[in-house]
């Protein structure tokens, strides 16, 4: 292949130079992991470059990356080895800013040995800012063609000399090559080849490009060039201890010990404690964090109680030995005595502090080495490093032996007597829930994969499904007539790696499918030949899941446990499979779901806000509520590096636990040290001060029931029997990307969750679902809740929007208010900073803002000291590090606000991070107006005693 060496070409538009000391509208940042650049607008990406390659026959490549930063330049090196041939080659080069709106790229591929390969390439993706735009692809003959953005699959050209990018018919960027380049496209990205088909020792390949932007940009080749993105932020104290007499503490609200009035029970769609409604406001702990040392157990329990946390979900505590949990080294049904003792003590410490426990033992039951005696086909599953086994998702539904192992595990814990409480776990009313199985559904992808992996499970499933079909159709001819010959031993099996050996006489017909196959759009089109097969499969799987759940539930009841039980917490696509799965869960009890928001991969982080779109993100899970049953989210959080964690606490507390009437919430994390986090280290960090720092306000609001449940309920009517014919009655849309899920419907859009309550009603006969009318609840573009206590103004960009709370005991403003004063009943709040959650909350259980002491809380974002983040999107550094982890401290974004309280003679005291009242007061004028500034005051907390 010829060398592609070019010189810089001048762009026809004369660049406009940025004024000294001003910020350019565009930023270009180099990924610290690989040296490739991303062009950023203030809100999103414009263009993004990457690098990767394939060996012969699309085989893998082992790669080590390194980068270095220089003035106006980032250097990169990729040390590559082809997995198939072991041939090595290096790719090295740089990006360099050569003008206020131009970057030069040079790269050279140096083979150390000759080898075949598919392609080594630099990829180019158009970002969100160019969605709906176009590109003009120019070739060396002076011709061009227009393509829509993002790119679609195909060859863009084998002699491309330039690509021009347009949005709204305005030019925004040009990428130029001096000699023709080979560029294909797939998965929304252009692939610019530096080498194709073959590389030869001693013959380097080169690629140079010039990127010209239509506007000036700031260039950040690495962390050293980036400005301090936390200038003016204040540090949050480490090792905080909140005393029980602090105005922050809610320890005396929990009325311990947990269970003193007997069990919490479900009564219709409510949870009752001592005949009064209770909300469970909790957190998760996972693996061996559920069995901490005793001093940490006490520290955690005290901190949680101070934060108003009245329940803990102990999750995956029986996943295996060591860090994975409290089981023995040999069996999933036997517990390690020392670890069990620590677990016992922790549960008792939580109980004495008034904190209830939800037991969630496993995320897929993992058998140990000794369990092979009862599950002889364990060698059909993946074997883990410690000689344990991982059957993975879907396996338990067709393995009675795995079910039995899980039952033994349940039984051994529930019948174990905790020496610190004197009660068995089955007897202890502080155990509020037992969860059968985490994050699985027979309708999801794992079931077909399990049948593909295990011949034993495949035979079991084939036999059960065959017997079910024989009960329904009686004869083979009737079955074949219903399904059609083309549906038997067909592509639906091959697509999921299932043998095409189905036989009516041999009882070998497989229940295969997944949410993609079950989607009615696909059933009506690409999968139409399998229509009846898929309908029968879903109905059979629904009944099979019910039988498994019933068996597990009965085994728990046999231990003497009389508390609440849930099945699982996963979704199963949309329409028929979704509602079959939801009803299967409803048969067991409380509906439990998981949902997350945000996250990111690599340096770029979209960093969107849920406030921009009412009812979106995590809140959309409310469309899974079922009539006459409690509802919980047992896992949720804004996933780091998303920075708007405070809005999650505020939204779930107000709209979920309040307006929608949800009954339990467990924010997700794996571990903590019994205090505020000293640095943001994990994807999920409940105890980061920018998250849990809002709990002293929101916990009061939730536990006191400040926000009333909506009196208006939209019922989504589902006739279960009609699902077997593919009839739902309305359209439910479900999208899922890992843990992050979004739900909406065509009769009750997710944004209506900001106004009224939603419940699925499984009816005995077909019943129409009426469209919900949002218009009566709109004032301009602001959605007013049916209670009149909440108002949500959507945003006009991904980081905008706000809502207000106006109740007698809690009044608050949360979000991006653009410095507009919000007049509430007892207070006016004008947030003068870009973002914030400002709460005024009555301090006591029966208090109101008119008569009680008032706690003021003002929280925005948090970042580790030393973080370097460009345009709130691109992470050049997550903070000062020691080894692999940031060291902290966490710096808090300041919140500035003008507050006018209906107390002209009020005194406003600054609280320290421990919640102690200081001698420092904030000036209040004779109208009750004052200014808070958390950077000036170095705290997010203030206290106003009653007059």
């Amino acid at each position: 292949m010829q060398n592609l060496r070019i010189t810089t070409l001048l762009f026809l538009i004369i660049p406009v130079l940025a004024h000294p000391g001003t910020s350019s509208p565009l930023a270009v940042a180099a990924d610290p992991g690989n040296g490739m650049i991303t062009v950023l607008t203030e809100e999103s990406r414009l263009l993004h470059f990457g690098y990767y390659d394939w060996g012969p026959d699309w085989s893998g490549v082992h790669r080590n990356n390194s980068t270095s930063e220089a003035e106006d330049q980032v250097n990169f090196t990729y040390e590559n080895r082809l997995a198939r041939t072991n041939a090595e080659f290096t790719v090295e080069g740089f990006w360099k800013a050569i003008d206020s709106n131009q970057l030069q790229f040079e790269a050279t591929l140096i083979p150390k040995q000759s080898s075949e390969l598919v392609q080594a390439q630099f990829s180019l993706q158009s970002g969100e800012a160019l969605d709906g735009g176009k590109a003009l692809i120019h070739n060396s003959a002076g011709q061009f063609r227009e393509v829509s953005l993002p790119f679609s699959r195909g060859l863009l050209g084998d002699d491309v000399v330039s690509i021009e990018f347009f949005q709204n018919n305005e030019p925004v960027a040009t990428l130029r090559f001096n000699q023709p380049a080979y560029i294909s496209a797939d998965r929304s990205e252009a692939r610019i080849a530096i080498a194709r088909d073959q590389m030869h020792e001693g013959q380097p390949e080169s690629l140079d490009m010039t990127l010209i932007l239509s506007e000036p940009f700031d260039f950040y080749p690495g962390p050293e060039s980036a400005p301090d993105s936390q200038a003016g932020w204040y540090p949050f104290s480490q090792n905080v201890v909140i005393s029980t007499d602090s105005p922050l503490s809610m320890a005396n609200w929990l009325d311990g010990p947990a269970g003193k009035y007997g069990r919490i029970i479900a009564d219709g769609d409510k949870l009752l404690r001592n005949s009064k409604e209770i909300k469970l406001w909790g957190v998760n702990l996972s693996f061996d964090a559920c069995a901490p040392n005793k001093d940490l157990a006490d520290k955690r329990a005290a901190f949680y109680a101070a934060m108003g946390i009245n329940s803990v979900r102990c999750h995956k505590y029986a996943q295996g030995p060591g860090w994975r949990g409290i089981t023995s080294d040999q069996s999933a049904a036997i517990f390690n005595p020392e670890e069990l003792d620590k677990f016992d003590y922790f549960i008792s410490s939580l109980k004495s502090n008034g904190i209830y426990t939800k037991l969630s033992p496993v995320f897929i039951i993992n058998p140990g080495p000794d369990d092979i005696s009862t599950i002889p086909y364990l060698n059909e599953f993946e074997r883990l490093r410690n000689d344990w086994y991982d059957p993975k998702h879907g396996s338990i539904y067709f393995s009675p032996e795995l079910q039995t192992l899980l039952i033994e595990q349940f039984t051994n814990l529930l019948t174990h007597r905790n020496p610190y409480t004197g009660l068995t776990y089955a007897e202890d009313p502080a155990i509020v829930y037992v969860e059968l199985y985490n994050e699985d559904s027979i309708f999801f992808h794992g079931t077909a994969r399990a049948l593909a992996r295990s011949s034993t499970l495949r035979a079991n499933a084939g036999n059960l499904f065959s017997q079910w079909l024989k009960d329904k159709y009686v004869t083979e001819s009737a079955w074949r007539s219903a399904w059609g010959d083309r549906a038997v031993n067909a592509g639906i099996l091959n697509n999921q790696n299932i043998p095409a050996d189905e036989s009516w006489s041999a009882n070998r017909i497989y229940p295969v499918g997944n949410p993609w196959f079950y989607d009615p759009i696909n059933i009506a089109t690409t999968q139409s030949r399998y229509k009846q097969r898929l309908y029968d499969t879903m109905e059979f799987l629904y009944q099979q899941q019910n039988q498994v759940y019933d068996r597990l539930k009965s085994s728990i009841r046999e231990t003497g446990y009389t508390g609440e039980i849930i099945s699982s917490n996963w979704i199963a696509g949309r329409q028929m499979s979704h509602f079959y799965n939801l009803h299967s869960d409803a048969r067991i009890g409380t509906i439990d779901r998981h949902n997350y928001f945000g996250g990111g991969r690599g340096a770029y982080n979209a960093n969107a806000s849920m406030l921009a779109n009412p009812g979106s993100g995590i809140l959309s899970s409310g469309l899974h509520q079922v009539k006459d049953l409690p509802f919980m989210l047992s896992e949720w959080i804004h996933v780091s590096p998303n920075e708007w964690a405070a809005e999650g606490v505020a939204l779930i507390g107000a709209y979920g636990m309040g307006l929608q009437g949800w009954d339990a919430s467990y924010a997700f994390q794996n571990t903590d040290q019994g205090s505020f986090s000293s640095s943001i280290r994990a994807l999920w960090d409940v105890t980061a001060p920018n998250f849990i720092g809002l709990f002293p306000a929101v916990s009061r609001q939730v536990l006191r029931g400040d926000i009333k449940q909506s009196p208006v309920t939209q019922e989504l009517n589902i006739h279960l029997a009609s699902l077997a014919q593919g009839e739902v009655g309305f359209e439910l849309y479900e999208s899922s990307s890992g843990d992050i899920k979004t739900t909406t419907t065509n009769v009750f859009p997710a944004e209506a969750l900001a106004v009224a309550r939603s419940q699925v009603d499984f009816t005995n006969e077909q019943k129409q679902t009426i469209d919900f009318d949002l218009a009566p609840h709109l004032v301009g573009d602001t959605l007013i809740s049916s209670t009149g206590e909440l108002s949500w103004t959507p945003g006009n960009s991904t980081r905008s929007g706000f809502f207000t709370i106006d109740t007698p005991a809690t009044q608050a403003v949360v979000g991006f208010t653009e410095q507009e004063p919000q007049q509430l009943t007892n207070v006016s709040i004008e947030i003068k900073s870009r973002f914030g959650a400002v709460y005024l909350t009555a301090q006591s259980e029966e208090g109101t803002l008119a008569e009680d002491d008032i706690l003021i809380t003002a929280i925005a974002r948090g970042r580790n000291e030393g973080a370097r983040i460009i345009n709130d999107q691109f992470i050049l550094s997550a903070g000062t590090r020691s080894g692999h982890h940031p060291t902290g401290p966490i710096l808090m974004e300041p919140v500035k606000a003008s507050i006018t309280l209906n107390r002209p003679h009020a005194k406003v005291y600054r609280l320290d991070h421990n919640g102690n009242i200081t001698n420092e007061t904030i000036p209040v004028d004779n109208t009750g107006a004052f200014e808070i500034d958390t950077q000036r005051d170095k705290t997010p907390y203030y206290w106003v005693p009653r007059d």
Side-chain angles (χ1 to χ4, degrees), residues 816-822 830-834:
F816 307 83
T817 63
E818 299 181 352
Q819 302 186 15
E820 294 181 3
Q822 304 300 312
E830 179 185 355
I831 299 178
K832 295 186 173 181
S833 44
R834 178 191 179 199

Side-chain angles (χ1 to χ4, degrees), residues 5 55 185 255 427 515:
R5 177 72 64 183
D255 192 21
E427 295 168 341

Side-chain angles (χ1 to χ4, degrees), residues 862-875:
R863 289 178 179 171
N864 292 316
E865 184 179 55
R868 296 293 182 267
I869 300 174
I870 305 302
N871 286 11
D872 294 334
Q873 311 167 62
F874 199 90
I875 305 169

Side-chain angles (χ1 to χ4, degrees), residues 54 114 242 256 281 286 318 348 378 460 572 627 630 642 676 680 744 801 878 922:
W54 292 286
S114 298
I242 299 173
W281 183 244
S286 299
S348 72
L378 277 183
N460 290 349
K627 186 176 182 180
N642 186 282
F676 293 98
I680 300 173
T744 192
I922 309 300

Side-chain angles (χ1 to χ4, degrees), residues 294 340-345 348 416-425:
K294 293 178 181 179
L340 180 59
D341 181 70
K342 291 192 291 184
F343 184 83
D344 289 339
Y345 183 85
S348 72
H416 165 69
R417 191 169 301 278
N418 185 334
Y420 301 101
T421 65
L423 300 171
T424 68
Y425 280 83

Side-chain angles (χ1 to χ4, degrees), residues 239-252 299 302-303 305-307 353 674-676 700 843 911-917:
N239 301 315
V240 166
V241 177
I242 299 173
S243 64
T244 55
D245 59 356
S246 162
L248 289 185
S249 178
M250 295 182 65
N252 62 353
K299 188 177 179 182
F303 180 66
M307 291 287 103
N353 281 273
S675 185
F676 293 98
R700 283 172 165 81
Q843 187 180 342
L911 301 180
D912 65 21
H913 299 172
N914 296 285
N916 297 320
I917 302 169

